[in-house]
Amino acid sequence: MTSAGNIALDAIIDRTLAALAPIDPQQQPGDAPFLALRARQKEGSFRLAVLGQFKRGKSTFLNALLGEDLLPTDILPVTAIPTFIQSAESVTASVFFVHQEAPVTFEQEQGGRLGEFLQTYVTEAGNPDNHRQVERVEIGHPAAILKQGVVLVDTPGIGSTFRHNTEVAYQILPHCDAALFLVSPDPPITEAEITYLREVRELLPRTFFLLNKVDFLNEKEKVVSLTFLADQLKPLCDGTPQVLPVSARNGLAARLEQDKDLWKSSGMYQVEQNLIDFFAREKQQTLELSLRRRLKDQLNTQIMHLQLALEALRLPEADLKNRIDQFQEIMPVIEREKQASADVLVGDLKRIVAALTQQIESLRAAAKHQIMPKVEGVIESVADTEELERQVRTIVAAQLPVFFTPALRQVDDATRRKATDILSLHQKRCEQLIGRVRKTAAELFNVPYHAPLVEQVYAHFEPPQWSQELFVSDMDPLGQKISRKLMTKRFRHRRTVQRLREQTQKLLNENIEQMNWALRRGLDESFRRYGFELDEQLDKVIGATRAAMDIALQKKTTRHQQIEEQMALLECTITELQNLAQQCRVAEDLI
């Protein structure tokens, strides 16, 4: 809804794109963010995220709302992938991958349970550290609460031992419009949750607060917990927030047993009614406000770039050259820090590879210790050469996958966790360096510095794609028929025993080296690409900043009239974007 003095969101986007069209591409970041916002507005769906620390009962709460034991739950941290639940005629699911166009799909009519299907892709047990590189999961469900374009979002919990879960929980916020924030009594709300809530309140215009697991409390304990939580939330909210007590576990049981009294006493009935009322009265306004906040952020970023270009044009040529020289003076420092970061990245890669080498050698010894005694047992107990050949081949073929399948997973998980942690630290260093370049340029030209609300997200370590086929080959290259004709029985048996031992050891080494090669290749490629992407991002910021100065300096050599025309265009565009950003702020006050 828009008032007479309030410009519609789509009109603001259209006017922004029209205003930026005549501007030199080197003087502005581009129109991609505005096109993405327009697409999001046309989509029209309202994304309500269920947020909180791990094991607060988020998935159980969503199951209760949907009336079905749908999403996986466990005593350990479960949800590792953002899951979007939207309206559909029947239960369906699509799993989308980072580097695969076609999703994996599930339809209830095909048989099987969705929960079992999801275990493979969205849980730490089935997909540790996102081994399968799942981007998101979309579920279709006929629940009434999903009508009218509502999408519920199940998110990974913050604060668990799995750092990537916390990172995903932060990254999902810009894609949502409002939040249900779940807390439980044991433990009470944590500092990590308070920090996360500040980010939530900054990005999302509406947040509901729930105290889950109240079925474990008596009435006195419930009042104390609700009061404590409300007091902790006061500094983050305008006044004392409403906190609803619920038992998602009892609510789910009530839905499954169709027990209306238990549904009401669980607190889920009140939550459901509040949400229904919110969707009817405020959903569209909240969606509008959510999108306007993001639009305002993008407009401020554009304005800062254009102001830099304008101030560079306004300066006398001597002053402009002086500012360019000052900017260039910090470049050696930036380059040294960039090179130091690159050197640390190389060193970190070497350390991970060294740790991997130790793991590989330990596995080599473990494989020999586990498989060779079984081979020796057959050698000692079987006298017939042909039967010995057959039994050793059978044992080796059976033991290789038993040992190497969990070994592959174990080493890969440990390597990926180390790589992800290290690359996350390098990402933060690079972001700080980028922020320093932007802020320096803004200060040099007396332009207000605007730090984007949403930081750039870089790719994490990707798992190697090795073949799951093991090196099980024919262990008798000559063949028993030929050897029977050419050798005595005793000599042939002794030779077969020696060959079987050597061949078994060779197969173990080949599988170990296959694992080592695949992981080394994955590490080298991921670190190389990661370093390149960070360098490219930093170089792009430096290049764009310098380009604005160089363009201004070049125009100083052109006719005065052309400079005046360029300055007038920039001034006009900045004024237009500032007016549009103001419209976004006005809308926040009106909505």
Side-chain angles (χ1 to χ4, degrees):
M1 180 184 298
T2 59
S3 66
N6 185 29
I7 305 175
L9 184 67
D10 55 352
I12 293 178
I13 295 175
D14 288 342
R15 283 175 56 176
T16 298
L17 295 173
L20 292 175
I23 301 297
D24 190 320
Q26 292 182 297
Q27 293 177 312
Q28 46 125 335
D31 57 9
F34 300 102
L35 296 175
L37 280 171
R38 183 160 65 182
R40 178 79 171 80
Q41 184 203 23
K42 288 183 178 179
E43 177 190 320
S45 61
F46 184 86
R47 295 175 180 173
L48 178 65
V50 180
L51 308 174
Q53 188 168 281
F54 73 103
K55 304 321 300 170
R56 293 301 198 189
K58 298 185 295 296
S59 296
T60 303
F61 173 82
L62 281 167
N63 285 338
L65 270 183
L66 297 172
E68 187 174 352
D69 195 1
L70 197 72
L71 302 171
T73 58
D74 200 351
I75 60 172
L76 299 175
V78 174
T79 307
I81 304 299
T83 303
F84 298 82
I85 310 165
Q86 53 201 358
S87 181
E89 295 298 321
S90 61
V91 176
T92 62
S94 297
V95 181
F96 295 85
F97 300 88
V98 176
H99 299 299
Q100 179 179 322
E101 292 186 6
V104 175
T105 59
F106 169 91
E107 294 184 10
Q108 202 170 45
E109 291 81 0
Q110 297 174 351
R113 293 184 64 252
L114 178 60
E116 295 174 355
F117 170 81
L118 293 175
Q119 282 278 355
T120 306
Y121 301 102
V122 306
T123 69
E124 282 298 330
N127 185 18
D129 289 338
N130 197 12
H131 174 88
R132 302 178 186 275
Q133 289 292 279
V134 177
E135 179 185 13
R136 70 186 188 282
V137 175
E138 294 182 0
I139 294 175
H141 195 275
I145 201 166
L146 299 175
K147 304 297 183 182
Q148 308 302 320
V150 174
V151 178
L152 297 175
V153 185
D154 192 15
T155 64
I158 63 168
S160 75
T161 55
F162 304 110
R163 178 185 290 186
H164 62 280
N165 284 4
T166 298
E167 291 172 349
V168 173
Y170 273 89
Q171 292 166 11
I172 196 66
L173 293 180
H175 304 283
C176 301
D177 304 303
L180 283 160
F181 201 92
L182 264 69
V183 182
S184 54
D186 187 19
I189 190 167
T190 65
E191 182 61 32
E193 287 173 298
I194 294 293
T195 300
Y196 185 47
L197 261 175
R198 292 193 184 99
E199 188 80 9
V200 172
R201 298 285 292 174
E202 183 74 20
L203 289 172
L204 304 183
R206 185 66 185 272
T207 305
F208 300 88
F209 298 101
L210 307 179
L211 179 65
N212 191 23
K213 303 184 181 181
V214 295
D215 48 313
F216 292 100
L217 307 176
N218 58 38
E219 284 302 315
K220 182 178 179 181
E221 292 171 333
K222 185 191 298 185
V223 171
V224 170
S225 293
L226 286 169
T227 302
F228 175 79
L229 179 56
D231 288 342
Q232 295 300 307
L233 295 175
K234 274 183 183 179
L236 300 174
C237 306
D238 299 326
T240 303
Q242 181 187 39
V243 181
L244 294 179
V246 298
S247 169
R249 183 179 64 164
N250 287 349
L252 177 59
R255 278 292 179 88
L256 296 177
E257 298 167 10
Q258 298 184 346
D259 187 333
K260 293 183 179 179
D261 292 335
L262 182 58
W263 178 246
K264 286 187 177 181
S265 65
S266 72
M268 289 298 300
Y269 173 79
Q270 186 61 53
V271 172
E272 183 181 47
Q273 292 305 306
N274 282 17
L275 287 177
I276 290 172
D277 182 68
F278 168 74
F279 293 149
R281 297 172 179 269
E282 302 178 48
K283 184 189 73 172
Q284 286 304 120
Q285 291 180 338
T286 304
L287 175 61
E288 177 89 0
L289 183 53
S290 173
L291 294 177
R292 282 178 181 268
R293 281 190 178 185
R294 288 172 233 170
L295 178 56
K296 180 179 69 176
D297 179 60
Q298 293 298 332
L299 285 168
N300 286 332
T301 299
Q302 288 279 359
I303 289 168
M304 187 182 74
H305 281 270
L306 295 179
Q307 284 177 331
L308 174 62
L310 177 59
E311 291 304 315
L313 282 173
R314 282 175 173 168
L315 286 173
E317 185 173 348
D319 287 349
L320 177 58
K321 288 181 178 180
N322 183 46
R323 305 290 174 88
I324 292 175
D325 290 341
Q326 291 181 52
F327 183 76
Q328 286 300 111
E329 285 176 2
I330 74 161
M331 286 301 100
V333 177
I334 298 295
E335 285 297 327
R336 283 196 297 271
E337 293 185 21
K338 175 183 170 184
Q339 185 58 51
S341 180
D343 292 342
V344 172
L345 190 64
V346 171
D348 285 337
L349 175 58
K350 289 180 179 178
R351 283 183 280 275
I352 291 181
V353 169
L356 173 61
T357 300
Q358 290 182 343
Q359 286 184 295
I360 289 295
E361 292 308 313
S362 296
L363 279 176
R364 194 189 306 275
K368 183 178 180 180
H369 178 75
Q370 178 172 317
I371 297 176
M372 290 306 296
K374 294 180 173 59
V375 173
E376 291 297 331
V378 175
I379 289 174
E380 292 176 3
S381 61
V382 179
D384 182 76
T385 304
E386 285 82 359
E387 181 62 16
L388 173 64
E389 180 90 26
R390 187 189 67 78
Q391 287 196 28
V392 169
R393 291 186 62 184
T394 300
I395 285 177
V396 172
Q399 288 298 313
L400 283 176
V402 169
F403 178 83
F404 280 101
T405 298
L408 290 171
R409 173 62 63 84
Q410 180 183 8
V411 177
D412 178 47
D413 288 349
T415 303
R416 184 185 303 104
R417 187 171 289 113
K418 290 177 184 177
T420 299
D421 288 347
I422 287 172
L423 295 181
S424 296
L425 291 175
H426 282 277
Q427 172 184 323
K428 291 176 182 177
R429 292 192 192 105
C430 185
E431 288 171 352
Q432 291 172 355
L433 209 53
I434 289 172
R436 184 175 171 185
V437 172
R438 287 173 170 163
K439 194 169 185 179
T440 298
E443 290 173 351
L444 279 174
F445 290 89
N446 298 317
V447 172
Y449 174 67
H450 172 72
L453 290 176
V454 183
E455 295 290 346
Q456 176 74 28
V457 178
Y458 304 104
H460 293 292
F461 171 69
E462 296 177 11
Q465 299 297 321
W466 59 70
S467 171
Q468 296 295 330
E469 296 181 3
L470 299 166
F471 290 97
V472 180
S473 61
D474 185 359
M475 300 181 72
D476 182 13
L478 292 178
Q480 291 294 343
K481 290 184 179 180
I482 297 176
S483 61
R484 277 198 297 267
K485 294 179 181 179
L486 300 178
M487 305 172 188
T488 66
K489 182 177 180 180
R490 183 177 178 181
F491 180 81
R492 182 163 54 85
H493 186 81
R494 188 166 65 248
R495 180 185 178 280
T496 298
V497 168
Q498 180 182 355
R499 176 174 49 77
L500 291 176
R501 285 172 175 157
E502 293 174 352
Q503 189 68 22
T504 300
Q505 187 63 57
K506 179 183 177 183
L507 292 178
L508 296 181
N509 287 331
E510 285 176 338
N511 280 280
I512 288 289
E513 290 308 318
Q514 181 195 26
M515 183 193 308
N516 186 31
W517 176 81
L519 284 166
R520 283 289 304 274
R521 182 186 62 177
L523 281 170
D524 289 343
E525 176 61 21
S526 293
F527 272 66
R528 183 198 64 77
R529 184 171 59 251
Y530 194 90
F532 173 79
E533 289 176 357
L534 295 184
D535 284 349
E536 185 180 44
Q537 181 70 10
L538 180 58
D539 291 342
K540 183 179 179 181
V541 171
I542 294 173
T545 304
R546 182 58 198 265
M549 303 177 192
D550 289 341
I551 289 173
L553 188 60
Q554 291 170 8
K555 291 185 181 298
K556 295 294 182 182
T557 63
T558 63
R559 289 184 300 175
H560 180 74
Q561 182 179 354
Q562 292 178 338
I563 297 178
E564 292 295 326
E565 290 173 354
Q566 180 68 20
M567 290 172 57
L569 175 61
L570 288 171
E571 288 173 346
C572 181
T573 303
I574 291 170
T575 300
E576 171 73 345
L577 297 188
Q578 287 174 333
N579 289 336
L580 295 175
Q582 180 62 30
Q583 283 294 325
C584 293
R585 285 189 287 271
V586 168
E588 291 188 30
D589 297 332
L590 294 176
I591 293 177

